[in-house]
Amino acid sequence: MSQVSMVVNGKRVSGAVEDRTLLVSFIREQQGLTGTHVGCDTSQCGACVVHVDGKAVKSCTVLAVQADGSEVTTLEGVANGGELHPVQAAFREHHGLQCGFCTPGMIMSALDMINRHGAGNLDEATIRHELEGNICRCTGYQNIVKAIKAASDQMAGMAQAAE
């Protein structure tokens, strides 16, 4: 057993884990944060995407001991209190979800995409290319793409208004 300590959604957490414990298991089972989903256990579906030290990772491919000392953000850490993050709000407004199973990973991937490319700098082709590692079996992706584009554009507008 190993002892791990990390900051999850702004809160310092720690726990004893077997060396083979996946980060997704630590998040869900020991921290009770079930917004991060386990879909395929093979890193192909993207339902388990979280941010580790500001970068999107598939938490089914990262051991909890590898995240020791890191900052981890899950879907539960995205909203600002009771106010949805613009990406979350855009998914709701543009019907970017149906069953909701892939939604946490899609939102976390979208946030990473916007952070890397810059708000307002995403086009449909880029979004579709970037989503290749996330599988949705319900929506056909069109509304997911619209939601991500709308959120990116809204966030750019918010940044300009703040200047």
Side-chain angles (χ1 to χ4, degrees):
M1 297 284 273
S2 295
Q3 189 71 20
V4 296
S5 177
M6 61 191 77
V7 175
V8 178
N9 299 330
K11 178 184 168 191
R12 169 82 46 202
V13 299
S14 60
V17 296
E18 291 185 33
D19 291 339
R20 65 183 178 173
T21 301
L22 296 172
L23 180 58
V24 68
S25 298
F26 179 76
I27 290 168
R28 289 180 59 82
E29 296 164 17
Q30 289 196 25
Q31 301 309 308
L33 299 171
T34 56
T36 303
H37 292 162
V38 179
C40 65
D41 280 334
T42 59
S43 79
Q44 296 184 22
C45 76
C48 67
V49 173
V50 299
H51 293 186
V52 175
D53 294 330
K55 295 182 181 166
V57 300
K58 292 181 178 178
S59 60
C60 75
T61 63
V62 177
L63 298 171
V65 294
Q66 290 175 293
D68 186 38
S70 295
E71 289 194 28
V72 177
T73 305
T74 70
L75 182 69
E76 291 91 344
V78 172
N80 183 13
E83 184 180 333
L84 293 178
H85 185 281
V87 175
Q88 293 172 306
F91 265 71
R92 184 183 63 197
E93 181 180 337
H94 295 277
H95 309 287
L97 60 115
Q98 283 182 14
C99 81
F101 192 80
C102 72
T103 305
M106 290 286 188
I107 288 172
M108 297 307 290
S109 293
L111 287 166
D112 181 65
M113 212 182 297
I114 293 167
N115 289 338
R116 285 185 293 106
H117 291 278
N121 293 323
L122 290 173
D123 58 30
E124 183 176 327
T126 302
I127 295 167
R128 287 185 179 278
H129 175 73
E130 295 267 343
L131 287 178
E132 285 183 4
N134 294 74
I135 296 174
C136 176
R137 300 192 192 294
C138 298
T139 66
Y141 297 92
Q142 185 57 36
N143 288 342
I144 292 171
V145 173
K146 282 175 31 181
I148 294 170
K149 175 77 170 111
S152 175
D153 293 345
Q154 178 188 0
M155 290 169 69
M158 291 166 60
Q160 287 177 347
E163 292 177 355

